[in-house]
Amino acid sequence: MAKTFWISEPDTLTIYPARIARRLSIIYFIVFTALIAVLYTSKTLSNTNLVLTYEGLIILMSLLVYVMGERKVIFDAESRQLSTKLFGITTSTTPFDQIAAITPYDTMGAISYRAFSKSNRHGKGIILSCGYSKQNNPNLTAYEQEVLPRINELVFSNRPLHTKQVIYDFKFFNEENGIYKITHNKLSGLIFGVLLIALTVFILFHPDFMDDRASYKRILVTYFPAIIGLVLVNGFFSSVSFDKNNRQIIDTTLGGLIKKTYSFDDFIQFQIIRKSTNFIYTDTEVKALIDLPGQNKTKPLLVINFRRTRHIERFIDEANTILGLYEPAPVEIS
């Protein structure tokens, strides 16, 4: 049911991140009001004051959901501002020059695109789409193919060339013969993974373990640690490299047994995804969004994750330098 609406015009792009909420609010009001009416007429709920209280709460919740659906975000090329409006009233504005990036944001497993300002690059951002729980959602695919390029045209295309000093002292890459391999300390994950696998082996050598519990519980406790352990061990032997000579991004798993390559030309952008569990921040993933030629879809490739976000900008600067997206700053000759 996740769906984002947008209207693209010559000088403006209007996005309704949660317009479907208007329809849901009406459905919510009708269904629960009918339920209250049935309970009242059947004498299951006979207290009139209590019925009025419930109906008041239903109306209040319906209005709140409807208000969510009325929120819209406007990219205006003439004023070069991103503005958020509610019932025609502007609630916030952000100049295009202050927008750092448009990237996905992960909330409880649902991905929504957001605009992040330079002053709060890794904050919560401004919501620009509804939350998508599936990467292959048709509306998400259309959004990435139509809305993201339009935003790039309005916001970023007219900016002056972003120049940076060429980076020679890479902190997140090891270079060998033109291949830059991401360095990331995964030793703790390997150790923890091995311990989890060892736990499963230990349980298998003790057949009487939890023999007084339901079989599905014993199976879960026995094999779930091994599954998590294998994922962590595989993560240790997996890597992402940038082959500058052949202009390829190389994704290897299982110690190199499985290798996939993607062209630099198919790279779209980096996605910065903050992840949380039960509303508690866990880590931030950096993914490379890659266009898959001939397949009419994109693939987010996990490149690296960070617990602390202060290193992310440096990592992206290094990666963009390797990808050739930064022009070196001109050398001043005296």
Side-chain angles (χ1 to χ4, degrees):
M1 188 173 287
K3 193 170 186 179
T4 306
F5 292 85
W6 59 86
I7 302 173
S8 183
E9 297 175 312
D11 293 325
T12 60
L13 172 65
T14 304
I15 302 174
Y16 295 86
R19 196 174 188 179
I20 197 172
R22 299 191 306 182
R23 189 183 306 169
L24 293 176
S25 68
I26 296 173
I27 296 173
Y28 176 89
F29 174 76
I30 293 174
V31 169
F32 282 94
T33 298
L35 178 62
I36 291 294
V38 170
L39 292 175
Y40 184 70
T41 55
S42 65
K43 303 300 181 180
T44 304
L45 194 63
S46 57
N47 189 314
T48 303
N49 290 332
L50 190 59
V51 169
L52 292 175
T53 300
Y54 284 152
E55 186 61 24
L57 291 174
I58 291 170
I59 293 173
L60 178 61
M61 290 299 298
S62 299
L63 287 173
L64 289 175
V65 175
Y66 188 88
V67 167
M68 289 171 55
E70 280 296 315
R71 177 182 172 274
K72 63 181 178 181
V73 181
I74 302 173
F75 290 86
D76 189 337
E78 185 175 347
S79 64
R80 292 195 56 77
Q81 284 188 333
L82 164 62
S83 59
T84 303
K85 294 188 176 184
L86 191 62
F87 292 107
I89 301 174
T90 301
T91 57
S92 67
T93 58
T94 305
F96 284 177
D97 292 340
Q98 293 303 311
I99 297 177
I102 310 293
T103 56
Y105 187 97
D106 186 291
T107 305
M108 304 293 289
I111 299 295
S112 61
Y113 275 90
R114 304 193 181 198
F116 295 90
S117 65
K118 292 180 179 178
S119 60
N120 193 11
R121 178 63 180 81
H122 302 295
K124 293 184 177 180
I126 301 170
I127 300 175
L128 301 179
S129 76
C130 66
Y132 298 97
S133 58
K134 295 182 178 179
Q135 190 67 34
N136 60 352
N137 185 299
N139 185 249
L140 173 59
T141 301
Y143 185 93
E144 292 177 339
Q145 293 177 347
E146 298 175 24
V147 177
L148 293 184
R150 184 77 172 111
I151 293 175
N152 185 67
E153 175 189 343
L154 292 170
V155 178
F156 302 109
S157 62
N158 294 324
R159 287 187 179 179
L161 181 65
H162 186 58
T163 61
K164 291 211 172 188
Q165 287 285 3
V166 175
I167 296 177
Y168 296 103
D169 56 330
F170 291 95
K171 297 180 179 179
F172 297 99
F173 293 87
N174 279 335
E175 188 271 337
E176 185 176 348
N177 298 324
I179 297 178
Y180 293 79
K181 184 177 180 179
I182 296 175
T183 59
H184 193 43
N185 186 8
K186 302 178 183 179
L187 183 59
S188 58
L190 174 64
I191 295 173
F192 189 53
V194 171
L195 290 176
L196 288 174
I197 295 173
L199 176 61
T200 294
V201 174
F202 174 81
I203 294 174
L204 290 174
F205 276 97
H206 292 76
D208 58 341
F209 177 76
M210 291 183 66
D211 57 356
D212 58 336
R213 303 294 179 90
S215 58
Y216 77 91
K217 291 183 179 180
R218 187 180 189 280
I219 292 173
L220 183 64
V221 173
T222 301
Y223 295 103
F224 184 72
I227 294 172
I228 300 299
L230 288 172
V231 171
L232 293 173
V233 171
N234 178 56
F236 179 81
F237 292 103
S238 301
S239 65
V240 175
S241 304
F242 292 76
D243 186 343
K244 194 171 183 179
N245 297 329
N246 296 312
R247 293 180 52 79
Q248 289 182 332
I249 300 174
I250 305 171
D251 176 32
T252 60
T253 55
L254 297 176
L257 293 178
I258 300 176
K259 181 183 294 186
K260 296 181 180 179
T261 60
Y262 309 94
S263 172
F264 281 9
D265 296 329
D266 295 327
F267 170 80
I268 299 174
Q269 66 179 20
F270 283 110
Q271 297 177 332
I272 312 300
I273 303 175
R274 290 172 59 92
K275 303 193 69 176
S276 59
T277 302
N278 297 327
F279 300 102
I280 299 175
Y281 171 75
T282 54
D283 63 350
T284 299
E285 294 180 343
V286 178
K287 293 185 176 182
L289 184 63
I290 298 172
D291 178 45
L292 299 178
Q295 300 186 38
N296 197 30
K297 62 180 181 180
T298 59
K299 175 183 178 178
L301 173 65
L302 178 60
V303 177
I304 192 173
N305 60 351
F306 291 91
R307 177 65 181 173
R308 297 181 180 179
T309 58
R310 60 189 178 92
H311 299 301
I312 293 179
E313 286 303 309
R314 170 69 186 195
F315 172 81
I316 292 179
D317 284 346
E318 293 184 11
N320 281 334
T321 298
I322 299 168
L323 290 166
L325 300 179
Y326 285 160
E327 291 291 337
V331 178
E332 202 174 292
I333 301 176
S334 55

